Amino acid sequence: IGTTSQVTGTISVDPANPSSAEISTITIDARDITTDNNRRNRSIQRQILRSALDENRYITFEPTSIAGLPGVVNIGESFLFTVDGILTVRGETQPVAFELSVTPVTPSEISGMATSTILYEDFNITIPSVPSVASVENVVRLELEFVAAMSE
């Protein structure tokens, strides 16, 4: 499990018309992704994501469509929708769909989780084989937990 808090992007929502929501490009600083093991972190930066190289530093997701947004939302009631877009990792670009679960927390704040599953091979990523280390599946589950607050 790798985590980072270095994620940027914008969600624009009109509470009176949630179906008109827009999401900007989401950018993740891959150099900041860390696990519970420093050797693994170095391997991710140098071999797997190659984020130590400037051209691979950022992972981006550019939304192309949003489907399933409700016409009305209520504080405290979660809703689901899908965001399709283009994910770029290490210069490799593939279409990806994220399922989102969002909860309006207050009239000016939402929280949520976006999830998707990708394959390493779709992004031309190989995992080094290391003796005495369990093998790594080709499937990667991506999760982005977020809180968005209304700005003036």
Side-chain angles (χ1 to χ4, degrees), residues 21 23 61-69 81-86 96-98:
I23 302 172
F61 178 72
E62 184 178 344
T64 56
S65 67
I66 302 173
L69 282 168
F81 63 99
T82 304
V83 177
D84 292 322
I86 304 299
V96 172
F98 278 89

Side-chain angles (χ1 to χ4, degrees), residues 23-62:
I23 302 172
S24 74
T25 298
I26 306 299
T27 302
I28 301 160
D29 187 338
R31 286 184 185 167
D32 188 63
I33 294 173
T34 56
T35 69
D36 62 351
N37 182 291
N38 284 332
R39 283 189 199 156
R40 186 179 303 118
N41 296 342
R42 284 190 298 275
S43 180
I44 289 169
Q45 288 186 5
R46 294 180 183 155
Q47 296 174 316
I48 299 169
L49 293 179
R50 299 182 187 154
S51 57
L53 300 171
D54 287 342
E55 63 266 24
N56 297 327
R57 180 173 183 173
Y58 297 103
I59 297 169
T60 60
F61 178 72
E62 184 178 344

Side-chain angles (χ1 to χ4, degrees), residues 3 7-8 24 36 72 79-80 92 96 98 103 123 146 152:
T3 62
V7 179
T8 59
S24 74
D36 62 351
V72 176
F79 57 93
L80 303 173
E92 297 289 332
V96 172
F98 278 89
T103 304
F123 292 89
F146 61 91
E152 299 297 324

